[in-house]
Amino acid sequence: MMRSHYCGQLNESLEGQEVTLCGWVHRRRDHGGVIFLDIRDREGLAQVVFDPDRADTFAAADRVRSEYVVKVTGKVRARPAGAGNANMASGAIEVLGYELEVLNESETPPFPLNEYSDVGEETRLRYRFIDLRRPEMAEKLRLRSRITSSIRGFLDGNGFLDVETPILTRATPEGARDYLVPSRTHAGSFFALPQSPQLFKQLLMVAGFDRYYQIAKCFRDEDLRADRQPEFTQIDIETSFMNETEIMGVTETMIRKLFKEVLDLEFGDFPHMTFEEAMRRFGSDKPDLRNPLELVDVADQLKDVEFKVFSGPANDPKCRVTALRVPGGATMPRSKIDDYTKFVGIYGAKGLAYIKVNERAKGVEGLQSPIVKNIPEASLNVILDRVGAVDGDIVFFGADKFKVVSEALGALRIKVGNDLNLHTCEWAPMWVIDFPMFEENEDGSFSALHHPFTAPKCSPEELEANPATALSRAYDMVLNGTELGGGSIRIHRKEMQQAVFRLLGIAEDEQQEKFGFLLDALKYGAPPHGGLAFGLDRLVMLMTGAQSIREVIAFPKTQSAADVMTQAPGVVDAKALRELHIRLREQPKAE
């Protein structure tokens, strides 16, 4: 090997030893006849000192510049008193350089790596191979590697088999658009890239591989946001002969072990909360329990008021009227309230009513709000008591369709909690359980809340009789308001699977065309089975404190699902298209 040690591995125990380092010149400093080079590799930095006593080596050090690739041999020695650097793992020592070989030169990088600079994300992604040299980026990928290593170790040690499933498969309705791959050998037909290994892992259960896992690439052609990418990585887990309590127990143990090994954090048992309670109290099925604010339903107090903005939704079973108390919020200026009003508008809210509680002892006179004149004082007192309002608080209100109010005030809860630094702890893991089987669309049809292979908590007959109220055997693990992973007990009987397909409007011929292989498998002794899939990118994002999953993926796509480094997607030549039996429609020319 060209090197004897990584830069970040040097410490006082090596004092007096000769070492050879290979890496990039992170920083060069000339201090009056002595040249200092900070050499960087994936493990960290090391300071190398060159003095004029070795003329050739000193001259070589004088010529190097930032990002040159070098090989250095020298002796480890303690730094002079007061010259240590606590910000470097090797900050107590330095290397006195004997030999310096330039392995490659470098042009001036498009952005500096040895100091913070506000570089646009597109530039960073265009030169991602340089961006990844930055110590903070290298540390994120190193931590990602430790995370996957810990997870593999746990699953291997608990009898799970790592089995790969196909990337080229067929299109199935799983919620998002598929990425399609045309077939050269089957004219007019297309493969689809998998949105998840869902069907294959179920087939592995039918095949008898009762503990499976895979760290799998998945693909979804959907609108992107901070925690979404068109291709992403999933920790996929499936088991047979285990119920939901047992599956949740195994995966919770895995996550607790992971956080202890990687971040030295100890979690207690994760609390469980039903979907209904999460939506009622927090307006979200992935509540951030670090935030103490809660939504409180107050429709019963507003059914008879003349103010139609409240009484209309209060008397509509498909709506909700909810209050959100913010402690100490009465000092909030009108401009901030206006900002929050615009914010909830993003989620469809038509406005944001509020009451400032200045002095409750004065009754209505102690309340500041344009809406108090429309609500009887007795109802106001019940509402304020129910939300726990005291002097100095502000109470926000939402009144609209259940989905609009839940999303708008749920998002406002998160925003206000962040703005006012209300978090009561750093980490808050939990489970959400008892999800509805379906969500009802505007036209009265149903969509699967998770996916169409999730088992319900009832018989096929009960399911078809009352689909709107049916609960599923699904469960999500949530951490700090982010869904880490979701899973369920799967359907393992053909008659139940067909009942679910019928409720989703999938006719028998379409069932056979798209899922015939699964329905066939269910006829041949499919065992009870279930599983869970974690989003690895989101998990790493949370554990590193990154703001986006793009920060923890080596080569991510942009917000428009493009790779600016390789210029993908790109144009394909006409010959390749002919071989795929594809002809492009000419785009109309701009006027």
Side-chain angles (χ1 to χ4, degrees):
M1 292 181 62
M2 296 179 70
R3 61 158 63 96
S4 65
H5 296 79
Y6 282 104
C7 295
Q9 294 175 339
L10 302 186
N11 54 45
E12 299 95 317
S13 69
L14 297 172
E15 188 174 343
Q17 293 187 31
E18 184 175 278
V19 297
T20 299
L21 308 175
C22 292
W24 287 260
V25 176
H26 187 68
R27 187 182 291 108
R28 176 188 177 279
R29 306 184 302 283
D30 188 338
H31 287 187
V34 178
I35 295 174
F36 294 87
L37 298 183
D38 287 343
I39 309 300
R40 183 190 69 244
D41 59 26
R42 73 173 207 190
E43 298 296 324
L45 297 167
Q47 178 174 282
V48 184
V49 184
F50 297 91
D51 60 40
D53 293 346
R54 293 175 174 81
D56 291 345
T57 304
F58 186 82
D62 190 47
R63 290 192 296 270
V64 302
R65 294 295 180 265
S66 291
E67 299 312 306
Y68 276 31
V69 187
V70 296
K71 176 183 177 183
V72 174
T73 298
K75 181 174 288 187
V76 178
R77 69 182 188 186
R79 293 197 190 192
N85 185 345
N87 296 321
M88 293 171 60
S90 62
I93 55 90
E94 62 188 13
V95 177
L96 177 62
Y98 296 163
E99 300 174 11
L100 172 63
E101 179 183 353
V102 175
L103 301 175
N104 208 346
E105 297 181 354
S106 172
E107 295 182 4
T108 302
F111 47 86
L113 280 75
N114 58 10
E115 59 184 32
Y116 174 79
S117 58
D118 189 13
V119 183
E121 186 177 52
E122 186 152 331
T123 301
R124 290 177 54 203
L125 294 180
R126 166 70 181 83
Y127 298 98
R128 188 64 161 185
F129 47 90
I130 293 176
D131 187 47
L132 290 176
R133 293 181 189 174
R134 294 190 298 124
E136 58 268 36
M137 293 301 295
E139 178 57 29
K140 289 184 176 74
L141 291 190
R142 288 174 60 216
L143 189 106
R144 183 182 178 115
S145 178
R146 290 176 61 198
I147 290 169
T148 56
S149 178
S150 174
I151 287 168
R152 286 187 188 278
F154 177 87
L155 294 171
D156 289 341
N158 281 272
F160 287 81
L161 302 179
D162 184 355
V163 183
E164 296 177 354
T165 54
I167 292 295
L168 292 177
T169 181
R170 69 168 296 137
T172 56
E174 289 193 45
R177 288 183 296 272
D178 288 310
Y179 276 102
L180 301 176
V181 180
S183 170
R184 179 183 61 81
T185 53
H186 300 275
S189 295
F190 294 80
F191 294 104
L193 303 183
Q195 296 186 34
S196 75
Q198 181 62 48
L199 295 178
F200 288 105
K201 66 184 177 184
Q202 289 190 243
L203 294 175
L204 284 170
M205 297 301 105
V206 179
F209 294 90
D210 63 316
R211 291 196 173 201
Y212 142 96
Y213 84 94
Q214 181 185 187
I215 297 182
K217 275 291 184 186
C218 304
F219 308 85
R220 291 180 185 172
D221 184 7
E222 59 186 350
D223 296 333
L224 305 185
R225 58 179 188 240
D227 60 350
R228 291 254 177 103
Q229 280 277 292
E231 53 180 315
F232 56 96
T233 307
Q234 192 165 286
I235 306 163
D236 208 44
I237 300 169
E238 197 80 3
T239 70
S240 298
F241 310 114
M242 292 176 70
N243 62 30
E244 47 265 68
T245 301
E246 293 164 332
I247 294 171
M248 292 161 70
V250 168
T251 51
E252 179 178 322
T253 300
M254 181 184 79
I255 293 299
R256 289 163 64 178
K257 176 176 177 287
L258 170 67
F259 272 78
K260 177 61 179 173
E261 285 184 359
V262 177
L263 298 183
D264 196 26
L265 284 171
E266 298 253 14
F267 288 152
D269 292 339
F270 294 7
H272 292 205
M273 183 180 295
T274 65
F275 172 88
E276 185 278 330
E277 182 183 355
M279 294 301 298
R280 174 170 49 83
R281 294 174 58 192
F282 306 109
S284 171
D285 61 0
K286 45 182 184 294
D288 187 347
L289 297 187
R290 298 173 300 169
N291 183 334
L293 303 183
E294 293 194 22
L295 310 187
V296 178
D297 287 320
V298 294
D300 60 309
Q301 296 300 311
L302 298 168
K303 288 183 176 182
D304 300 323
V305 300
E306 294 182 3
F307 194 37
K308 298 300 182 185
V309 170
F310 283 156
S311 61
N315 287 283
D316 187 337
K318 293 186 177 181
C319 296
R320 75 183 296 195
V321 184
T322 299
L324 174 68
R325 178 182 74 95
V326 180
T331 58
M332 198 177 289
R334 182 56 192 259
S335 60
K336 175 58 72 173
I337 296 173
D338 290 344
D339 288 343
Y340 287 148
T341 303
K342 292 176 183 176
F343 175 76
V344 297
I346 297 171
Y347 300 89
K350 301 179 183 68
L352 183 64
Y354 68 91
I355 296 175
K356 288 186 175 183
V357 183
N358 295 327
E359 193 172 349
R360 281 202 66 180
K362 291 185 176 180
V364 175
E365 296 300 318
L367 305 178
Q368 180 183 344
S369 169
I371 68 169
V372 293
K373 64 179 181 292
N374 299 302
I375 304 173
E377 186 171 356
S379 295
L380 282 172
N381 285 328
V382 171
I383 290 170
L384 295 177
D385 286 342
R386 188 176 295 175
V387 301
V390 297
D391 293 353
D393 293 348
I394 188 171
V395 181
F396 291 112
F397 294 85
D400 210 311
K401 296 292 185 185
F402 187 93
K403 180 179 174 66
V404 171
V405 173
S406 297
E407 290 185 354
L409 261 67
L412 180 64
R413 169 184 174 268
I414 296 298
K415 182 168 179 57
V416 171
N418 291 334
D419 289 350
L420 301 183
N421 298 312
L422 298 179
H423 288 177
T424 58
C425 57
E426 187 176 0
W427 300 96
M430 65 174 300
W431 288 101
V432 178
I433 58 173
D434 289 349
F435 286 84
M437 268 295 286
F438 306 107
E439 53 186 348
E440 191 170 353
N441 302 315
E442 291 288 338
D443 61 2
S445 63
F446 291 103
S447 298
L449 191 66
H450 276 77
H451 56 61
F453 317 109
T454 299
K457 289 187 166 185
C458 60
S459 68
E461 295 76 21
E462 292 169 328
L463 180 68
E464 294 197 84
N466 297 290
T469 59
L471 297 180
S472 71
R473 297 177 70 182
Y475 36 84
D476 284 359
M477 184 186 289
V478 176
L479 178 63
N480 293 359
T482 295
E483 180 193 327
L484 276 191
S488 67
I489 299 300
R490 321 301 185 189
I491 296 169
H492 71 284
R493 294 183 180 275
K494 182 178 179 180
E495 58 271 22
M496 178 64 83
Q497 188 63 77
Q498 289 178 316
V500 170
F501 283 155
R502 283 194 295 272
L503 286 166
L504 294 175
I506 303 175
E508 284 196 24
D509 55 345
E510 187 181 359
Q511 293 176 27
Q512 201 57 44
E513 177 196 350
K514 293 182 176 177
F515 304 105
F517 60 96
L518 174 65
L519 294 173
D520 285 345
L522 296 182
K523 295 188 300 187
Y524 293 102
H529 60 281
L532 190 146
F534 290 96
L536 176 62
D537 308 309
R538 292 185 191 179
L539 178 60
V540 180
M541 178 182 75
L542 285 172
M543 294 182 74
T544 59
Q547 298 301 306
S548 163
I549 63 171
R550 293 189 296 278
E551 292 294 299
V552 298
I553 298 173
F555 298 103
K557 304 294 187 291
T558 65
Q559 285 284 77
S560 60
D563 183 341
V564 293
M565 183 179 68
T566 64
Q567 299 297 298
V571 175
V572 176
D573 64 50
K575 180 176 181 294
L577 291 174
R578 282 196 301 272
E579 290 176 343
L580 293 169
H581 318 285
I582 290 176
R583 177 184 298 162
L584 295 181
R585 180 183 296 170
E586 287 190 20
Q587 297 295 318
K589 295 180 180 178
E591 295 289 334

